[in-house]
Structure formats: structure tokens, C-alpha cells
Amino acid sequence: MAITTNVEAILRVEGLVTGFRTGGGLVRAVEEVSFELHRGEILGIVGESGSGKSVTNLSILRLVQCPPGEVSAGRVLYGGKDLLSASEEEVRLVRGRNISMIFQDPLTSLNPVIKVGKQIAEAIRLHHGAKRREADARAVDMLRLIGIPDAERRASDYPHQFSGGMRQRVMIAMALSCDPEILIADEPTTALDVTIQAQILDLIRNLSAQSGTAVILVTHDLGVVAGMCDSVCVMYAGRIVERATVDDLFYDPLHPYTRGLLDSIPRTDSTGKERLYSIPGSPPNLVDLPEACPFQPRCPKAQEACARERPPEVTMAGRAPRTVRCWLHAGEDHHVS
């Protein structure tokens, strides 16, 4: 797999900064995040809990609650417009139709007093101007597509009548109902068993391949990333610390944090006698981030420079675009920004 570089990006995120004001101070959840997404590309975003993955994608769609949250800098360019400076009405027309999101927690994302079929049909009527009967039929088709048995009857049920996995599939059906150009999937298979997980991932992969839908896949599962994604962004403490094609990342990880994530995966050839590797320490406090490299206290390869200042973003030489924020690679042979 490779990142497409000769095609205009369908989505460009530039210098995104998002924070949350709390009693303890400003939580710097997203710091200067930049990336591009191309038509038909599946981009994985990985990292520990609290690294800024979900907040990044909520910021793209302007779904960060203000207060306490605030997107204070950056641009999100889609269709020639900056979504962060567009009017609320302009963003509402894009949200759900052109850019859809599968949320991580379906229980809080679905309205408990409206039947699930009506919730799916509402988006179809709003964005496509479909008649009620046509939208209801489309909603049933979407439920059937994502594997809910007896879809016509279940469309008349309420969210509490579905299991956690079934509710997640309803969310996926809602996100796909308007044939979006971009699908943001935030841990879309968290509550599903492995068989249904494989079906959902196949559905997303086929959607991308057949219609050119671009996908941002947020996940903790590096196995899913390896099988699904074209490119990967690794996030730590609100920043992207490494960005590469999936092949480059897995065969030659550059950042020590990326290496730690990969070493934490159980191996099929393991004898079972050795302990599973874990990255030492804990993620930093986002209210009081150090001016030095935030990974330095946990890094097995830390140098003196790591304790003094944050590393710059280094663009590595090679056929495919690749960047890393690490002093180990801030040499003269690479472009430093």
C-alpha cells in the first residue's frame, strides 16, 4: 500500500490546536496537528488513550463542546473552504452528508426516545431531500446491509432494545446512509465480536475501494491498522510523532514510541514464557506539558537534547512521504521544519 501523492487532497488539516479549560488549567489536547487525506485512502490514527485521536476528529467537524473546549488555531480545508471559519449552517450541510462520523459510544449518540429507523431516515431526508417512505425504505436497507437480522421489524425498535454491538451497527448504518465522501470511524468495532468486526471492516474497506470514500480510522488495534490502512499517523500527547505508509511504519518504525507500541503486540511465534512488553511510565499531564520532548521520561533512547526542547518535525527522504518528531532523526540529511 502507498500514500497517493499526485492527487489533490480531499481533506487537509493544518496546524490544528484544541484545548479544554478546566479548574486545573488548560488541557492541551491537540497541538499543531497536520495531515492530508486523499480520495480512496484509509488513514489510521493510533496512540494510547488520551493522545488526542478522538478530539482531533471532533475538531474537524466542529463538534467540540465550547465551553470548555475550544479550537484555537489551525485550518480544516474541505471543498475549497475552511470548516473552522465557515458558518454553522455551512458546516451543518457538510456534517453527515459529505463527512460522516461513527462515534465511539453509540449509547450516548443515539436518541433513546426515537426509533432507530427514524433516526437513520432523518439524515437521509435532511441531506438528500427524500420522501418519508423512500427514506424509511433506505433506512431498512442500511440496517440489512450492516447485518441486523429482520431489519424491517428492528427498524421500529428503540436503542435500548439493542445490544451494545447492535447499537454500534446502527451508528455505522447512519454514518453510511448518505454515501459520504469522507468517513471518520472512531473505534467502530469496539463493542463487536471478532466475526462481526471482520464484516464491518470489510464493509468499510469495500466502500472505500468501490466509491472512493476516504476513511479516517481511529483505533488502538494495530492489527486492524495493518490489514486496513494505507497510511498511519501515530499520536502522543496531542501531537503526531510519526506519519508514514503502513508498510514503512510496521517494517521500520522510526520513533521510539511507535516501536514501543509495536513491541507491545503479542507475537504468534512466542513460547508464552516471556512477559509481554509494556512501555514504562505513564503519558504526561496535558495541563503541564514540558517544553522538552513529552516522551523523554519514558524513552529508552533519550538523549540530552530530548530533555532541553521539543524535537522538530523531520521529513525523511524516500519515495513516500514520511515525517517523525524525534531528535534521533534530526540530522542534516533530512528536511527539518
Side-chain angles (χ1 to χ4, degrees), residues 182-224:
I182 299 172
L183 177 65
I184 300 174
D186 189 356
E187 299 278 4
T189 58
T190 298
L192 306 181
D193 61 54
V194 292
T195 303
I196 301 303
Q197 172 178 299
Q199 294 175 3
I200 295 302
L201 293 176
D202 282 342
L203 178 64
I204 294 174
R205 186 188 297 111
N206 292 336
L207 174 74
S208 178
Q210 294 172 9
S211 62
T213 300
V215 179
I216 299 176
L217 179 63
V218 177
T219 181
H220 288 90
D221 192 334
L222 288 169
V224 169

Side-chain angles (χ1 to χ4, degrees), residues 162-174:
F162 289 77
S163 66
M166 287 289 191
R167 283 194 292 263
Q168 185 68 291
R169 281 190 268 178
V170 170
M171 287 297 303
I172 293 171
M174 190 180 300

